[in-house]
Amino acid sequence: MHAIMLKAKLHRAEVTHSVLDYEGSCAIDGEWLDLAGIHEYEQIQIYNVDNGERFTTYAIRAEDGSKMISVNGAAAHKAQKGDRVIICAYAHYSEAELASHKPRMLYMAPGNVLSHTSNAIPVQVA
């Protein structure tokens, strides 16, 4: 049995560029890609906190240390500069892998400053 699970997440990153006339993709600071374990050209889901849009694209590498999140091509209609987004990558895991699986999550503070990392989401209380 296999399960599709959250592999990595960048939580509440701020879109720094929205470029309609660029080959479709999402450029992400290379240091964040490495830290999250997201590969260049890997499929990602983007959830726009500000307008509710949810869409699929792929990651490309932006300059290391740039703090860049650039939503490009047709997806630029779904996220504008300044929007806060959640970027997720998912992967298939075997039953054996599930026992030790921990996602890599990066949490952003305003200005795309990396606040902290985690490998678990706190239990939501009533």
Side-chain angles (χ1 to χ4, degrees):
M1 180 177 158
H2 290 284
I4 299 172
M5 303 290 290
L6 179 66
K7 172 187 166 183
K9 173 174 87 163
L10 279 71
H11 189 76
R12 290 192 171 223
E14 185 178 318
V15 175
T16 59
H17 299 78
S18 181
V19 185
L20 185 61
D21 294 320
Y22 190 86
E23 187 173 346
S25 58
C26 180
I28 300 171
D29 181 317
E31 292 176 359
W32 296 341
L33 287 179
D34 294 343
L35 192 56
I38 298 173
H39 300 283
E40 190 167 21
Y41 310 115
E42 184 172 349
Q43 179 176 299
I44 55 174
Q45 300 287 321
I46 299 179
Y47 312 125
N48 190 322
V49 174
D50 292 316
N51 68 18
E53 291 282 358
R54 300 167 72 91
F55 54 97
T56 304
T57 188
Y58 60 93
I60 61 172
R61 191 173 195 93
E63 181 180 0
D64 288 1
S66 65
K67 299 182 181 179
M68 178 183 279
I69 300 290
S70 182
V71 179
N72 302 319
H77 290 288
K78 298 181 177 283
Q80 301 300 311
K81 182 177 179 179
D83 285 354
R84 293 166 299 153
V85 295
I86 299 168
I87 300 171
C88 293
Y90 299 89
H92 291 266
Y93 295 92
S94 70
E95 195 68 31
E97 291 171 316
L98 288 176
S100 62
H101 171 66
K102 300 282 187 201
R104 295 183 188 180
M105 297 180 286
L106 284 60
Y107 292 84
M108 302 300 174
N112 277 352
V113 173
L114 180 59
S115 167
H116 64 285
T117 64
S118 179
N119 63 9
I121 296 173
V123 173
Q124 184 172 346
V125 296

